[in-house]
Amino acid sequence: MFSPKDAEQETRALEQVLAAYSYYKSFAQQEYYLPRYKKWRSLSDHQKELIPWYGDYLEKLRNAIDCNAAFLQEVVFFAQAMMGISSNVDQWPTPSRVDMEKTVSMISQIYREWSQESKCERGLATDRILQALQAYEKQSVTSRDEIRILIPGAGTGRLMADLVIQGYNCESNEFSYHMLLMSMYILNGGLKVNQKKIYPFIHTFSHWRSRNDQLKSICIPDFNVQEQLAQNNRMAMSSGSFIDCYGSNEKIRASNTYSASPTMKLTRAQMESAFNVVITNFFIDTASNIIDYLHSISHVLIPGGIWINFGPLLYHFECDDQVEDTFEVDPFTGEKTDVHEDVPLKGLELTADEILEVSISKLQFKCLNKEFAIPSGYGRSPSQNAVPGYMCNYWVLQNDKVRQT
Amino acid sequence: MFSPKDAEQETRALEQVLAAYSYYKSFAQQEYYLPRYKKWRSLSDHQKELIPWYGDYLEKLRNAIDCNAAFLQEVVFFAQAMMGISSNVDQWPTPSRVDMEKTVSMISQIYREWSQESKCERGLATDRILQALQAYEKQSVTSRDEIRILIPGAGTGRLMADLVIQGYNCESNEFSYHMLLMSMYILNGGLKVNQKKIYPFIHTFSHWRSRNDQLKSICIPDFNVQEQLAQNNRMAMSSGSFIDCYGSNEKIRASNTYSASPTMKLTRAQMESAFNVVITNFFIDTASNIIDYLHSISHVLIPGGIWINFGPLLYHFECDDQVEDTFEVDPFTGEKTDVHEDVPLKGLELTADEILEVSISKLQFKCLNKEFAIPSGYGRSPSQNAVPGYMCNYWVLQNDKVRQT
């Protein structure tokens, strides 16, 4: 764990997410089931008779919530056992609404990453990534087990699992405890194929063609994860912010997600030229300052290493009104200098062309491949009618910098 | 004006929207320009040098906001002149954040409805609608100028204009003062082709391929509206909620959007079998109770009349936490009976198949045509990369009820 927070703070943050998982059932009932039950009950008898099946539907919706809740509760028990947390939900910090919404989104995250039904959707990214890796392997004359790959924003770890099974060495980085908890369970829980049932589509009520599409259950995982990953040492995970753990020690200003502590500085120094490949898969638009991401990618890549990107540019902070202070830290006195107060998290949303332009003309990358406007869902239901898609960008850039000797 | 609100309340509501239009400039600067300026200023010199053009970009963004603001201000002046409102913005009620967000969305609404660039996008709906109308004309042996069409949720009136120019009689209904103000200006402002310039895409910072795509200006209108519509009496507009103005006097429970006042009851009684055609174009998902919409459509159609629907099912209230009371009103005493308190606006989000099933098996419609999963944007930029699309449904249902004699 690289995080700069002290252990106690980290434990509380983790407990808060465990609590959010635990409260899914009451939250989902309150948010999705109860208002619809109340609305239905308020209808005139005449209108109720027009939709005689609606009561049954609401019952199925409630049962589906129960099923998801049981799954999430199992993740909590597993995490408690693995991490020796003997306290219980009554002793944990109360989760925020955002925590609860993230918990709900974990259900479709799991569907996206670990279901047979999402295979084609994942393939849009994975097939391109594997192709780029094979080309790199060939061009750099590096044997596969010597290729070190970094995957920032790894989610629940599916891409890492796919690549490790193919023989690559992967290190995943993830900032979200919601994701980290789930990946711990999936990667280590010893699940058999299709052992767990979830209802990934019950949280959205728009865009459906038929009711069965919304109520469809799916099973995960689509392969025996632990068995396939057993006895290999080609896999590592880190928790924390990407730029904090892997950024350069120059060029990035300190903030809530980048500490100037000696420990982190040391960690980051060790990450210089530590990877052959960085893969950003539905990740770069999570940046509050995308140039910090570019510096970090450049920092960790060896000369000749490649950056593979796949995903849309749906900037996560575009509509966020939060602010933070950014500053430099005097290396001798440790004092903050050049402080900018209340810097918005939003802003600096570079376009695809601009990211490429900065990378190529200023950061010594060269472009090996690019493709734009690839339509892809993210956890889209098999009925295809449910969720609007993203237009994804794909590119492979090679780090053209000369090794400093 | 059918609205049940008294005149004073209506005037204040209208003034509040005029104020929202007037405050666009300061809102948009605060929301879109200033945070990005502040973020850019907070960058290290090194990072600023990587994007030397960014200062120019922000200047262009600010100028684009000014241009949109000037356009909206003109709408305000025009509306004031037409309606004889001599007070000014300092005397008007303060708009809410939602009012301001709706004002921002008017810029892309105008682009969607009145630009040459959106012609293909509009055509997805309009071509199908015209085809259905021609088939109806032929089948019902009704001459075009005798066909009375109702368009609930008419927006700023483009579909009505297109149909009136083709010789049909149209009545539009719209609930939103934001829309009504704008349509008043566009339909009566005497604009020449391409007379006004707006920047429809500057309010979103995600999904762009190139910066020019975001900064693209477009001109409206794509034809001389007033000239083409001059001297015809085939056009009418009503303001208010669809079910309040056109609903049946039975089967719908009273609420914030359906009054049981004698005036409205009389109005609605007059609307029975008043139209040959109802066209819902990106409208039915605005329902809080879609069955009320179905009753209303059935109520206003003559036997043999048709309902043409085009649009997605992105239920507007799906995530809305507001509630309202619904009740019956005793026709003799005027007292509320069977009151349901705090009924959620969300709920009852029927799927496409369910809407058709209820309409056909319970409300005596028969299906003449249907088509699902038609991809369409709504004010999507010409670069196509900007905004995820909708999956639209299209259907034509014929009212099969027998005339009550």
Side-chain angles (χ1 to χ4, degrees):
Chain A
M1 293 272 185
F2 294 140
S3 170
K5 295 174 197 158
D6 65 33
E8 174 59 21
Q9 260 187 320
E10 269 192 28
T11 304
R12 300 301 283 170
L14 179 66
E15 285 172 352
Q16 188 165 325
V17 174
L18 286 170
Y21 271 55
S22 304
Y23 289 138
Y24 165 83
K25 182 170 168 173
S26 59
F27 178 79
Q29 283 191 352
Q30 195 66 35
E31 197 72 9
Y32 305 108
Y33 168 76
L34 277 176
R36 285 165 182 93
Y37 179 76
K38 195 160 185 182
K39 177 87 156 214
W40 173 63
R41 296 276 295 173
S42 79
L43 298 182
S44 64
D45 289 343
H46 172 78
Q47 289 201 348
K48 277 206 199 83
E49 280 161 24
L50 296 180
I51 47 171
W53 46 268
Y54 204 81
D56 279 350
Y57 158 62
L58 289 175
E59 210 40 43
K60 285 179 189 160
L61 179 64
R62 200 169 65 160
N63 292 337
I65 289 172
D66 288 351
C67 178
N68 287 345
F71 172 74
L72 291 170
Q73 194 53 59
E74 209 163 305
V75 178
V76 172
F77 290 149
F78 183 83
Q80 284 190 273
M82 262 197 95
M83 294 186 289
I85 299 174
S86 57
S87 57
N88 67 55
V89 66
D90 303 328
Q91 299 160 283
W92 298 336
T94 307
S96 67
R97 188 177 172 87
V98 170
D99 288 326
M100 294 316 304
E101 286 167 353
K102 282 185 188 163
T103 302
V104 167
S105 78
M106 288 313 299
I107 298 289
S108 62
Q109 184 72 27
I110 282 299
Y111 166 69
R112 152 81 186 184
E113 293 200 50
W114 301 100
S115 78
Q116 178 63 27
E117 286 83 348
S118 294
K119 193 180 175 192
C120 288
E121 191 188 274
R122 284 193 304 274
L124 292 170
T126 313
D127 294 352
R128 286 176 172 85
I129 289 165
L130 285 171
Q131 215 173 3
L133 286 173
Q134 281 153 21
Y136 173 75
E137 210 174 327
K138 206 169 158 186
Q139 178 243 330
S140 66
V141 204
T142 310
S143 81
R144 187 168 290 197
D145 60 354
E146 286 174 344
I147 296 180
R148 290 148 302 153
I149 299 174
L150 175 65
I151 306 176
T156 64
R158 175 55 184 258
L159 180 61
M160 174 170 71
D162 284 343
L163 299 185
V164 165
I165 288 167
Q166 295 290 320
Y168 296 99
N169 283 287
C170 288
E171 181 163 320
S172 277
N173 167 249
E174 180 54 59
F175 187 61
S176 152
Y177 279 127
H178 277 83
M179 296 287 187
L180 288 163
L181 271 183
M182 186 61 81
S183 66
M184 183 196 293
Y185 173 75
I186 300 270
L187 297 175
N188 306 296
L191 296 178
K192 298 198 189 92
V193 176
N194 291 338
Q195 192 183 330
K196 294 293 164 189
K197 187 163 83 167
I198 55 171
Y199 290 85
F201 314 120
I202 57 167
H203 310 107
T204 175
F205 296 82
S206 280
H207 299 300
W208 296 110
R209 167 79 189 273
S210 99
R211 189 57 62 188
N212 288 338
D213 294 340
Q214 187 198 20
L215 290 174
K216 187 175 164 59
S217 67
I218 64 104
C219 292
I220 57 111
D222 58 331
F223 69 97
N224 189 324
V225 186
Q226 202 169 0
E227 193 179 284
Q228 293 249 11
L229 294 176
Q231 281 128 25
N232 83 66
N233 52 4
R234 296 192 302 272
M235 203 164 86
M237 291 203 76
S238 71
S239 82
S241 119
F242 172 50
I243 57 170
D244 202 31
C245 301
Y246 301 92
S248 124
N249 278 322
E250 293 161 351
K251 301 172 189 163
I252 299 178
R253 289 165 55 81
S255 71
N256 292 341
T257 50
Y258 182 87
S259 147
S261 74
T263 324
M264 292 316 296
K265 280 186 162 180
L266 189 62
T267 300
R268 290 193 296 258
Q270 289 163 346
M271 290 298 155
E272 186 174 353
S273 301
F275 295 93
N276 303 72
V277 180
V278 174
I279 302 174
T280 52
N281 181 26
F282 281 82
F283 175 69
I284 50 168
D285 50 7
T286 64
S288 165
N289 174 342
I290 194 164
I291 298 176
D292 287 348
Y293 276 20
L294 299 181
H295 282 316
S296 304
I297 292 166
S298 173
H299 175 67
V300 298
L301 280 179
I302 61 164
I306 59 170
W307 169 27
I308 307 172
N309 175 65
F310 187 91
L313 284 175
L314 174 54
Y315 283 100
H316 287 213
F317 292 106
E318 178 186 355
C319 300
D320 197 308
D321 285 332
Q322 293 180 86
V323 294
E324 63 174 358
D325 295 347
T326 71
F327 48 89
E328 305 286 348
V329 176
D330 185 296
F332 301 108
T333 66
E335 271 173 29
K336 293 182 182 182
T337 63
D338 193 20
V339 178
H340 282 259
E341 287 178 352
D342 299 336
V343 176
L345 295 188
K346 70 168 79 165
L348 217 62
E349 299 93 348
L350 299 191
T351 68
D353 283 350
E354 288 162 3
I355 295 169
L356 290 173
E357 201 271 335
V358 170
S359 302
I360 292 164
S361 76
K362 311 276 182 179
L363 300 176
Q364 294 172 273
F365 281 95
K366 72 176 180 195
C367 184
L368 302 182
N369 204 349
K370 62 182 175 178
E371 197 182 339
F372 299 101
I374 306 158
S376 168
Y378 195 88
R380 182 149 59 177
S381 101
S383 72
Q384 295 291 331
N385 199 2
V387 187
Y390 301 100
M391 302 306 270
C392 294
N393 305 304
Y394 166 67
W395 59 69
V396 184
L397 301 191
Q398 185 159 36
N399 190 343
D400 222 12
K401 72 186 171 193
V402 180
R403 191 185 293 272
Q404 307 286 323
T405 49
Chain B
M1 294 272 186
F2 293 141
S3 169
K5 295 174 196 156
D6 66 35
E8 174 59 21
Q9 260 187 320
E10 270 192 29
T11 305
R12 300 302 283 172
L14 179 66
E15 286 172 352
Q16 187 166 325
V17 175
L18 286 170
Y21 270 55
S22 304
Y23 289 138
Y24 165 83
K25 183 170 167 172
S26 58
F27 178 78
Q29 283 191 351
Q30 196 65 36
E31 197 73 8
Y32 305 108
Y33 169 76
L34 277 175
R36 285 164 183 94
Y37 179 77
K38 194 160 185 182
K39 177 87 156 214
W40 173 62
R41 295 276 295 173
S42 79
L43 298 182
S44 64
D45 290 343
H46 172 78
Q47 289 201 349
K48 276 206 200 84
E49 281 160 24
L50 296 180
I51 47 171
W53 47 268
Y54 204 81
D56 280 349
Y57 158 62
L58 289 175
E59 210 40 43
K60 285 179 190 160
L61 180 64
R62 200 168 64 160
N63 292 337
I65 289 172
D66 288 351
C67 178
N68 287 346
F71 172 74
L72 291 170
Q73 193 54 59
E74 209 163 305
V75 178
V76 172
F77 290 149
F78 183 83
Q80 284 190 273
M82 262 196 97
M83 294 187 290
I85 299 175
S86 57
S87 57
N88 67 55
V89 66
D90 302 328
Q91 299 160 284
W92 298 336
T94 307
S96 66
R97 188 177 171 88
V98 171
D99 288 327
M100 294 316 304
E101 286 167 352
K102 282 185 188 163
T103 301
V104 167
S105 79
M106 288 313 298
I107 298 289
S108 63
Q109 184 73 26
I110 283 299
Y111 166 70
R112 152 80 186 185
E113 293 200 50
W114 300 100
S115 78
Q116 178 62 30
E117 286 83 348
S118 293
K119 193 180 173 190
C120 288
E121 191 188 274
R122 284 194 304 274
L124 292 170
T126 313
D127 294 352
R128 285 175 172 85
I129 289 165
L130 285 171
Q131 215 173 3
L133 286 173
Q134 281 153 22
Y136 173 74
E137 210 174 326
K138 206 168 158 186
Q139 178 243 330
S140 66
V141 205
T142 310
S143 81
R144 187 168 289 197
D145 60 354
E146 286 174 344
I147 296 180
R148 290 148 301 153
I149 300 174
L150 175 65
I151 306 176
T156 64
R158 175 55 184 258
L159 180 61
M160 174 171 70
D162 284 344
L163 299 184
V164 165
I165 288 167
Q166 295 290 320
Y168 296 99
N169 283 286
C170 288
E171 181 163 320
S172 277
N173 167 249
E174 180 54 59
F175 187 61
S176 152
Y177 279 126
H178 277 84
M179 296 287 187
L180 288 162
L181 271 183
M182 186 61 82
S183 67
M184 184 195 293
Y185 173 74
I186 301 269
L187 296 175
N188 306 297
L191 296 179
K192 297 197 189 92
V193 175
N194 291 338
Q195 192 183 330
K196 294 293 164 190
K197 187 163 84 168
I198 55 171
Y199 291 85
F201 313 120
I202 56 167
H203 310 107
T204 175
F205 296 82
S206 279
H207 298 301
W208 296 110
R209 167 79 190 273
S210 99
R211 189 57 62 188
N212 288 338
D213 295 340
Q214 187 198 21
L215 290 174
K216 187 176 163 57
S217 68
I218 64 103
C219 292
I220 57 113
D222 58 331
F223 69 97
N224 189 322
V225 185
Q226 202 170 0
E227 193 179 284
Q228 292 249 12
L229 294 176
Q231 280 128 27
N232 84 66
N233 52 5
R234 296 192 303 272
M235 203 163 87
M237 291 203 75
S238 71
S239 81
S241 119
F242 172 51
I243 57 170
D244 202 31
C245 300
Y246 301 93
S248 122
N249 278 322
E250 293 161 349
K251 301 171 190 164
I252 299 178
R253 289 165 55 81
S255 71
N256 292 342
T257 51
Y258 182 88
S259 146
S261 74
T263 324
M264 292 315 296
K265 280 187 162 179
L266 189 61
T267 301
R268 289 193 296 259
Q270 288 163 347
M271 290 298 155
E272 186 174 353
S273 301
F275 294 94
N276 303 73
V277 180
V278 174
I279 303 174
T280 51
N281 181 26
F282 281 83
F283 175 69
I284 50 169
D285 49 7
T286 64
S288 164
N289 174 341
I290 195 164
I291 298 177
D292 287 348
Y293 275 21
L294 299 181
H295 282 316
S296 304
I297 293 166
S298 173
H299 175 67
V300 299
L301 280 179
I302 61 165
I306 59 169
W307 168 27
I308 307 171
N309 174 66
F310 187 91
L313 284 175
L314 174 54
Y315 283 100
H316 287 212
F317 292 107
E318 178 186 356
C319 299
D320 196 309
D321 285 331
Q322 293 180 86
V323 294
E324 63 174 358
D325 294 348
T326 72
F327 48 89
E328 305 285 348
V329 176
D330 185 297
F332 301 108
T333 66
E335 271 172 29
K336 293 182 181 183
T337 63
D338 192 19
V339 178
H340 283 260
E341 288 177 352
D342 299 335
V343 176
L345 296 189
K346 70 168 78 164
L348 216 62
E349 299 93 348
L350 299 190
T351 68
D353 283 350
E354 288 162 3
I355 295 170
L356 290 173
E357 200 271 335
V358 170
S359 302
I360 292 164
S361 76
K362 310 276 182 178
L363 300 176
Q364 294 172 273
F365 281 96
K366 73 176 179 195
C367 184
L368 302 183
N369 204 349
K370 61 182 175 179
E371 197 182 339
F372 299 101
I374 306 158
S376 168
Y378 196 87
R380 181 149 58 176
S381 102
S383 72
Q384 296 290 330
N385 198 2
V387 187
Y390 301 100
M391 302 306 270
C392 293
N393 306 303
Y394 166 67
W395 59 69
V396 184
L397 301 190
Q398 185 159 36
N399 190 343
D400 222 12
K401 72 186 170 194
V402 179
R403 191 185 294 273
Q404 307 287 322
T405 50

Coordinates of all heavy atoms in Angstrom, one line a residue, chain A residues 199-225:
Chain A
Y199 N -28.1 -9.2 -10.8 CA -29.0 -8.6 -11.7 C -28.4 -7.2 -12.0 O -28.6 -6.2 -11.3 CB -30.4 -8.4 -11.0 CG -31.1 -9.7 -10.8 CD1 -30.8 -10.5 -9.7 CD2 -32.0 -10.1 -11.8 CE1 -31.5 -11.7 -9.6 CE2 -32.7 -11.4 -11.7 CZ -32.4 -12.2 -10.5 OH -33.1 -13.3 -10.4
P200 N -27.7 -7.1 -13.1 CA -26.9 -5.9 -13.4 C -27.8 -4.7 -13.9 O -27.3 -3.6 -13.9 CB -25.9 -6.3 -14.5 CG -26.2 -7.7 -14.8 CD -27.4 -8.1 -14.2
F201 N -29.0 -5.0 -14.4 CA -29.7 -3.9 -15.1 C -30.9 -3.3 -14.4 O -31.6 -2.5 -14.9 CB -30.2 -4.5 -16.4 CG -29.2 -5.3 -17.2 CD1 -29.3 -6.6 -17.5 CD2 -28.0 -4.7 -17.5 CE1 -28.4 -7.3 -18.1 CE2 -27.0 -5.4 -18.2 CZ -27.2 -6.7 -18.5
I202 N -31.1 -3.8 -13.1 CA -32.3 -3.3 -12.4 C -32.3 -1.9 -11.9 O -33.3 -1.4 -11.4 CB -32.6 -4.2 -11.2 CG1 -31.4 -4.3 -10.2 CG2 -33.0 -5.6 -11.6 CD1 -31.7 -4.9 -8.9
H203 N -31.1 -1.3 -12.0 CA -31.0 0.1 -11.4 C -31.4 1.2 -12.5 O -31.3 2.4 -12.2 CB -29.6 0.3 -10.9 CG -29.2 -0.7 -10.0 ND1 -28.2 -1.7 -10.3 CD2 -29.6 -1.1 -8.7 CE1 -28.0 -2.5 -9.3 NE2 -28.8 -2.2 -8.3
T204 N -31.7 0.8 -13.7 CA -32.1 1.8 -14.7 C -33.4 1.4 -15.3 O -33.7 0.2 -15.5 CB -31.0 2.0 -15.8 OG1 -31.5 2.9 -16.8 CG2 -30.6 0.7 -16.4
F205 N -34.3 2.4 -15.4 CA -35.7 2.2 -15.8 C -36.0 2.8 -17.2 O -37.1 2.8 -17.6 CB -36.6 2.8 -14.7 CG -36.4 2.0 -13.4 CD1 -35.4 2.4 -12.5 CD2 -37.3 1.0 -13.1 CE1 -35.3 1.7 -11.3 CE2 -37.1 0.3 -11.9 CZ -36.1 0.6 -11.0
S206 N -34.9 3.4 -17.8 CA -35.1 4.0 -19.1 C -34.6 3.1 -20.2 O -33.8 2.2 -20.0 CB -34.3 5.3 -19.2 OG -35.1 6.3 -18.5
H207 N -35.1 3.3 -21.4 CA -34.5 2.8 -22.7 C -34.8 1.3 -22.9 O -34.3 0.7 -23.8 CB -33.0 2.9 -22.7 CG -32.5 4.3 -22.7 ND1 -32.8 5.2 -23.7 CD2 -31.7 5.0 -21.8 CE1 -32.2 6.4 -23.4 NE2 -31.6 6.3 -22.3
W208 N -35.7 0.7 -22.1 CA -36.0 -0.7 -22.2 C -37.0 -1.0 -23.3 O -38.0 -0.3 -23.4 CB -36.4 -1.4 -20.9 CG -35.4 -1.3 -19.9 CD1 -35.4 -0.5 -18.7 CD2 -34.1 -2.0 -19.9 NE1 -34.2 -0.7 -18.0 CE2 -33.4 -1.6 -18.7 CE3 -33.5 -2.9 -20.7 CZ2 -32.1 -2.1 -18.4 CZ3 -32.2 -3.4 -20.4 CH2 -31.6 -3.0 -19.3
R209 N -36.7 -2.1 -24.1 CA -37.7 -2.6 -25.0 C -38.7 -3.5 -24.3 O -39.9 -3.4 -24.4 CB -37.0 -3.3 -26.1 CG -37.8 -4.1 -27.1 CD -38.5 -3.3 -28.1 NE -39.5 -4.1 -28.8 CZ -39.2 -4.8 -29.9 NH1 -38.0 -4.8 -30.4 NH2 -40.2 -5.5 -30.5
S210 N -38.2 -4.4 -23.6 CA -39.0 -5.4 -22.8 C -38.6 -5.5 -21.4 O -37.5 -5.2 -21.0 CB -39.1 -6.7 -23.5 OG -38.2 -7.6 -22.8
R211 N -39.6 -5.8 -20.5 CA -39.3 -5.9 -19.1 C -38.3 -7.0 -18.8 O -37.5 -6.8 -17.8 CB -40.7 -6.2 -18.4 CG -40.7 -6.1 -16.9 CD -40.3 -4.7 -16.4 NE -41.1 -3.6 -16.8 CZ -40.8 -2.3 -16.6 NH1 -39.7 -2.0 -16.0 NH2 -41.6 -1.4 -17.0
N212 N -38.3 -8.1 -19.5 CA -37.4 -9.1 -19.2 C -35.9 -8.7 -19.4 O -35.0 -9.2 -18.8 CB -37.6 -10.3 -20.2 CG -38.9 -11.1 -19.7 OD1 -39.3 -10.9 -18.6 ND2 -39.5 -11.8 -20.6
D213 N -35.7 -7.7 -20.3 CA -34.4 -7.2 -20.5 C -33.9 -6.6 -19.2 O -32.7 -6.8 -18.9 CB -34.3 -6.1 -21.6 CG -34.7 -6.7 -23.0 OD1 -34.6 -7.9 -23.2 OD2 -35.1 -5.9 -23.9
Q214 N -34.7 -5.8 -18.6 CA -34.3 -5.2 -17.3 C -34.1 -6.2 -16.2 O -33.2 -6.1 -15.4 CB -35.3 -4.2 -16.9 CG -34.8 -3.3 -15.7 CD -36.0 -2.6 -14.9 OE1 -37.1 -3.0 -15.0 NE2 -35.6 -1.6 -14.2
L215 N -34.9 -7.3 -16.2 CA -34.9 -8.2 -15.1 C -33.9 -9.4 -15.3 O -33.9 -10.3 -14.6 CB -36.3 -8.8 -14.8 CG -37.3 -7.8 -14.2 CD1 -38.7 -8.4 -14.2 CD2 -36.8 -7.3 -12.8
K216 N -33.2 -9.3 -16.4 CA -32.3 -10.4 -16.8 C -31.2 -10.6 -15.7 O -30.6 -9.6 -15.3 CB -31.7 -10.2 -18.1 CG -30.8 -11.3 -18.7 CD -30.3 -11.0 -20.1 CE -29.2 -11.9 -20.5 NZ -29.6 -13.3 -20.5
S217 N -31.0 -11.8 -15.3 CA -29.9 -12.1 -14.4 C -28.7 -12.6 -15.2 O -28.9 -13.2 -16.3 CB -30.3 -13.1 -13.3 OG -30.5 -14.4 -14.0
I218 N -27.5 -12.4 -14.7 CA -26.4 -13.0 -15.4 C -25.5 -13.7 -14.3 O -25.6 -13.4 -13.1 CB -25.6 -12.0 -16.2 CG1 -25.0 -10.9 -15.3 CG2 -26.4 -11.3 -17.3 CD1 -23.5 -11.1 -15.0
C219 N -24.6 -14.6 -14.8 CA -23.8 -15.3 -13.8 C -22.3 -14.9 -14.0 O -21.9 -14.6 -15.2 CB -23.9 -16.8 -14.0 SG -25.5 -17.3 -13.5
I220 N -21.6 -14.8 -13.0 CA -20.1 -14.5 -13.0 C -19.4 -15.5 -12.1 O -20.0 -16.1 -11.2 CB -19.8 -13.1 -12.6 CG1 -20.4 -12.8 -11.2 CG2 -20.4 -12.1 -13.6 CD1 -19.3 -12.6 -10.2
P221 N -18.1 -15.7 -12.3 CA -17.3 -15.3 -13.4 C -17.4 -16.2 -14.6 O -17.9 -17.3 -14.5 CB -15.9 -15.3 -12.8 CG -15.9 -16.4 -11.8 CD -17.3 -16.5 -11.3
D222 N -16.9 -15.7 -15.7 CA -17.0 -16.5 -17.0 C -15.9 -17.6 -17.0 O -15.8 -18.4 -18.0 CB -17.0 -15.7 -18.2 CG -15.8 -14.7 -18.3 OD1 -15.2 -14.4 -17.3 OD2 -15.4 -14.4 -19.4
F223 N -14.9 -17.5 -16.1 CA -13.9 -18.6 -16.0 C -13.5 -18.8 -14.6 O -13.7 -17.9 -13.7 CB -12.8 -18.4 -17.0 CG -11.8 -17.3 -16.6 CD1 -10.7 -17.5 -15.9 CD2 -12.2 -16.0 -16.9 CE1 -9.8 -16.5 -15.5 CE2 -11.3 -14.9 -16.6 CZ -10.2 -15.2 -15.9
N224 N -12.8 -19.9 -14.3 CA -12.4 -20.1 -12.9 C -11.1 -19.3 -12.6 O -10.0 -19.7 -12.9 CB -12.1 -21.6 -12.7 CG -11.8 -21.9 -11.2 OD1 -11.2 -21.1 -10.5 ND2 -12.3 -23.1 -10.8
V225 N -11.3 -18.1 -12.1 CA -10.3 -17.1 -12.0 C -9.1 -17.6 -11.2 O -7.9 -17.6 -11.7 CB -10.8 -15.8 -11.4 CG1 -9.8 -14.7 -11.4 CG2 -12.1 -15.4 -12.1

